[in-house]
């Protein structure tokens, strides 16, 4: 296919996506899909509130000096402009590496778009059904652009293909027609961040800013389309494809309205990169059988996407959360990988550091061959009394492997936020889905205590 043909194909696929976004009606969405989207919204709000409690996020909000406005700044006790809400809430959402993800999209569709959609919904005083339709449009389009995009080696997925989803959700909320919605999505596809995965491995918080930029850029793309100054020219083929890697237009409209990608995601029980989760799950299951002082070596065999998370030293929380040795060692030492395992003195716990030094990470070709349906890990723990090997196909919380239902997700949020706050988040999420004016529950959640 020539470059001209590729761009034309992307233009046609984006037009199909725009038509689907414009025509999406909440009443037509199957009940099971509505239920799953409600769980993703619940998780997003709860995880964002947890991130807002962190000292780094508080300092960021203080430095930002957000102006008053109609949109919620979760956990900050205030509302602010749509733009500040979208940017700051997105940064809080990904700060603890707990946000929902999707292995087929190869990243995090909801985090790329939900903060922007919710901020705009609060400003427009949109209804719950309209807001939920916009969130669903955002997720499905973002996920498909993630499927369609094959990033170059070393590129991080935050802030690239997901901008198209943010644009789609905001376009749906603004009530744009098919052509305008397509123009918004195309413009979003032309606003990617080219972030290097090495920044995340180094613990550089610019990684969080990439996700914040996605939300802000998606909002801008929808407004450009609303103003009539955006066009659909198949930008994805050259911005996400030619520039950042490869782009398959056929994946953009594939199964829209039939296959719901929101049902295929995963919730995270560990505050760490999802690539580390299967190994953490294995060692937690083995922990009752493993005396820490008897561990000689832990070998983690994994797929190609996770094989680079090998660092046995870290100088920041984010760097630790992208280190399989840290996550495995923290799980064994603490019995969990909640945020407290990587904060304060725990980040430099000498027991964790010593054990991490005995963790070896390597790629296994047979596990790489099972992508994307499985993100497997095979862990061998060697000690003075012998070795034990266990393998898991996916992390706990994946929709295809020990999925979390509403009760499990509520328990997880209760661990993060405390039972009372988690219950309030659940109330606000439920009310947001049905409200005549979503700004009411969202503003209440903005003022929820963050001790």
């Amino acid at each position: 296919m020539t470059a001209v043909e590729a761009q034309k194909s992307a233009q046609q696929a984006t037009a199909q996506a725009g038509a689907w976004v414009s025509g999406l009606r909440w009443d037509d969405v199957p009940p099971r899909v509505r239920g799953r989207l409600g769980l993703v919204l619940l998780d997003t709000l709860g995880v964002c509130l947890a991130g807002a409690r962190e000292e780094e996020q508080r300092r960021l909000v203080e430095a930002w000096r957000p102006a008053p406005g109609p949109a919620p700044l979760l956990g900050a006790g205030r509302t602010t402009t749509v733009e500040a809400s979208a940017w700051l809430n997105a940064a809080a959402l990904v700060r603890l590496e707990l946000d929902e993800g999707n292995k087929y999209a190869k990243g995090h569709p909801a985090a790329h778009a939900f903060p922007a959609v919710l901020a705009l919904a609060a400003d427009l005083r949109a209804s719950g059904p309209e807001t939920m339709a916009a969130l669903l449009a955002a997720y499905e389009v973002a996920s498909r652009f993630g499927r369609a995009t094959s990033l170059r080696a070393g590129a991080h997925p935050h802030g690239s293909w997901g901008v198209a989803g943010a644009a789609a959700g905001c376009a749906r909320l603004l009530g744009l027609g098919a052509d305008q919605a397509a123009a918004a999505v195309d413009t979003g596809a032309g606003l990617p961040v080219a972030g290097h995965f090495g920044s995340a491995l180094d613990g550089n918080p610019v990684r969080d800013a990439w996700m914040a930029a996605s939300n802000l850029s998606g909002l801008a793309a929808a407004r450009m389309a609303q103003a009539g100054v955006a066009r659909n020219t198949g930008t994805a083929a050259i911005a996400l494809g030619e520039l950042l890697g490869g782009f398959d237009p056929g994946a953009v409209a594939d199964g829209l309205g039939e296959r719901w990608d929101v049902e295929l995601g995963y919730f995270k029980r560990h505050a760490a990169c999802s690539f580390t989760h299967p190994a953490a799950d294995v060692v937690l299951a083995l922990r009752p059988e493993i005396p820490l002082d008897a561990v000689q070596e832990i070998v983690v065999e994994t797929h190609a996407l996770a094989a680079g998370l090998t660092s046995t030293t870290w100088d920041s929380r984010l760097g630790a959360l992208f280190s399989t040795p840290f996550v495995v060692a923290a799980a064994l030492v603490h019995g969990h990988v909640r945020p407290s395992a990587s904060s304060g003195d725990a980040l430099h716990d000498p027991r964790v550091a010593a054990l991490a030094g005995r963790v070896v990470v390597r790629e296994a070709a047979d596990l790489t061959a099972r992508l994307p349906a499985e993100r497997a890990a095979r862990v061998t723990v060697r000690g003075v009394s012998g070795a034990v090997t266990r393998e898991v196909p996916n992390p706990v919380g994946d929709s295809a492997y020990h999925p979390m239902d509403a009760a499990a997700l509520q328990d997880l949020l209760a661990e993060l936020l405390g039972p009372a706050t988690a219950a309030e988040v659940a109330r606000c999420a439920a009310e947001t889905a049905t409200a005549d004016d979503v700004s009411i529950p969202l503003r209440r959640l903005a003022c929820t205590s963050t001790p």
Side-chain angles (χ1 to χ4, degrees):
M1 183 182 295
T2 67
V4 172
E5 290 171 337
Q7 197 165 341
K8 183 66 173 178
S9 182
Q11 183 184 37
Q12 293 170 346
T14 303
Q16 289 179 274
W20 179 80
V21 167
S22 177
L24 178 63
R25 297 293 178 267
W26 187 239
D27 287 346
D28 297 333
V29 176
R32 70 176 194 281
V33 179
R34 294 192 198 186
R36 178 67 183 191
L37 182 67
L39 291 183
V40 176
L41 175 61
L42 171 61
D43 181 78
T44 297
L45 293 174
V47 169
C48 184
L49 198 59
R53 290 180 167 185
E54 296 300 308
E55 180 60 29
E56 302 99 316
Q57 185 68 19
R58 293 177 186 238
R59 293 201 307 268
L60 181 58
V61 170
E62 183 179 355
W64 200 278
R65 298 177 62 194
L73 191 52
L74 296 191
R78 68 178 89 173
T79 56
T80 186
T81 64
V82 174
E83 292 77 11
S85 171
W87 203 101
L88 291 167
N89 284 337
L93 176 57
V94 299
R95 184 164 297 284
L96 293 172
E97 266 297 306
L98 280 166
D99 49 303
E100 187 266 2
N102 189 298
K103 63 191 177 188
Y104 297 101
K106 305 179 290 288
H108 304 265
H112 273 97
F114 280 25
V117 171
L118 293 172
L120 183 60
D123 180 33
L124 298 175
R125 306 186 73 168
S127 71
E130 284 296 291
T131 301
M132 296 301 284
L135 292 172
L136 185 59
Y139 194 104
E140 295 300 314
V141 171
S143 181
R144 280 165 174 78
F145 270 77
R147 285 176 180 261
T149 304
S150 300
L151 294 173
R152 296 185 189 279
H156 195 286
H158 275 19
S160 55
W161 47 260
V163 185
C170 291
R172 175 63 183 78
L173 205 53
L174 291 170
L176 302 189
D179 290 344
Q180 285 180 302
V185 171
D186 186 71
T187 301
L191 290 169
V193 171
H196 199 287
F197 212 107
S199 297
L201 298 178
D202 291 340
N204 191 324
V206 70
R207 185 210 70 122
D208 301 343
W210 299 335
M211 194 63 88
S214 171
N215 281 269
L216 200 54
S217 290
L219 179 64
R223 284 177 165 160
M224 288 175 66
Q226 183 185 34
V229 296
R231 299 173 59 206
N232 174 19
T233 63
T235 295
I238 53 178
L240 297 174
E242 184 179 320
L243 188 64
L244 293 185
F247 188 77
D248 173 17
V252 170
D254 182 34
L256 276 172
E258 298 174 0
R259 184 197 73 230
W260 300 91
D261 277 10
V262 73
E263 294 187 286
L264 306 178
Y266 56 82
F267 296 120
K268 299 173 74 172
R269 66 170 181 155
H270 307 310
C273 174
S274 64
F275 295 159
T276 71
H277 285 213
D281 291 339
V282 170
V283 297
L284 283 172
L286 291 174
R287 189 170 181 262
E289 309 168 27
I290 304 174
L292 295 183
D293 57 1
V295 174
Q296 297 173 328
E297 183 183 48
I298 301 174
V299 177
V300 177
E301 295 176 273
T302 186
H303 52 83
L305 298 176
L309 278 61
T310 60
S311 180
T312 55
T313 61
W314 47 87
D315 60 8
S316 68
R317 162 183 266 174
L318 186 59
L321 302 188
F322 276 82
S323 160
T324 296
F326 170 84
V327 173
V328 166
L332 283 172
V333 169
H334 301 298
H336 64 80
V337 197
R338 291 192 288 271
S340 59
S342 58
S343 63
D345 292 340
L347 182 62
H348 302 291
D349 189 315
R351 298 170 299 169
V352 173
L355 192 55
R358 298 196 287 275
V359 177
V360 177
V361 182
R362 61 172 68 119
E363 181 187 355
D366 63 314
L367 301 186
T368 295
R370 283 148 62 177
L371 292 170
E374 293 186 9
R375 287 184 170 181
R378 186 162 49 239
V379 181
T380 299
V381 181
R382 296 192 175 97
V384 294
S385 58
V388 58
T389 299
R390 297 275 179 88
E391 180 180 313
V392 293
N394 278 300
V396 171
D398 188 280
S399 59
Y401 185 74
H402 299 299
M404 292 187 191
D405 59 12
L409 184 56
Q410 194 64 31
D411 288 344
L412 176 64
L413 294 180
E415 289 182 359
L416 287 173
L417 303 169
T421 300
E424 177 62 9
V425 173
R427 282 190 291 271
C428 287
E431 290 176 27
T432 296
T434 59
D436 293 329
D437 175 359
V438 298
S439 71
I440 295 172
L442 290 176
R443 289 176 182 176
R444 191 172 79 243
L445 191 58
C447 295
T448 297
S449 174
T450 55

